[in-house]
Amino acid sequence: MYKIALVGATGMVGRKMLEVLAERAFPISELIPVASERSVGKCISFNGKDVAIVDMKTAIEKAPHIAIFSAGGETALQYAPLFANKGTYVIDNSSAFRMDADKALVVPEINGNEIPKEQYIIPNPNC
């Protein structure tokens, strides 16, 4: 079971990611939805339960196993390293790290098994 932070949980892509996590019965022990300050304290529904949205600082302090980012490049550049420094694996859906020569660009079906264990920020090619 994994503690998962979803950064950008209230956006269109974030909501779709929640649907996919639920459909695939991803083993989540705790969901940590993260959104902008105006959404903090509101609830989203996940697997039939209401889950309160938290701010970025709270999510980082919870040290999730995985943080899925769908909140834009600036947000990823600012906060993904803070999660990574806590030992959280960050899957970034923005363009922030795609061209970073030090990070393997990952398409799970093609090279998902080639991610270096010490690479905590994992960019994906998006569309």
Side-chain angles (χ1 to χ4, degrees), residues 9-126:
T10 59
M12 185 175 15
V13 174
R15 290 191 310 266
K16 192 61 170 177
M17 286 181 178
L18 286 171
E19 283 180 33
V20 172
L21 289 169
E23 286 171 4
R24 299 218 175 200
F26 193 83
I28 297 176
S29 60
E30 181 182 358
L31 176 69
I32 306 165
V34 184
S36 66
E37 289 295 326
R38 67 182 173 273
S39 295
V40 170
K42 295 178 182 176
C43 289
I44 61 168
S45 180
F46 182 71
N47 283 340
K49 296 179 185 173
D50 286 341
V51 184
I53 296 168
V54 301
D55 63 16
M56 197 71 75
K57 181 180 179 210
T58 300
I60 293 166
E61 288 171 356
K62 287 180 172 259
H65 298 101
I66 301 168
I68 302 170
F69 270 68
S70 183
E74 286 184 32
T75 299
L77 287 171
Q78 183 175 357
Y79 293 106
L82 300 178
F83 277 98
N85 288 340
K86 288 275 198 178
T88 298
Y89 287 96
V90 175
I91 300 169
D92 181 39
N93 199 38
S94 78
S95 61
F97 300 100
R98 282 191 199 139
M99 301 305 290
D100 187 328
D102 295 328
K103 293 174 181 45
L105 186 64
V106 175
V107 177
E109 298 82 3
I110 296 172
N111 66 338
N113 61 335
E114 297 176 14
I115 304 168
K117 187 173 176 125
E118 66 280 352
Q119 181 178 321
Y120 285 94
I121 299 175
I122 303 164
N124 74 51
N126 198 342

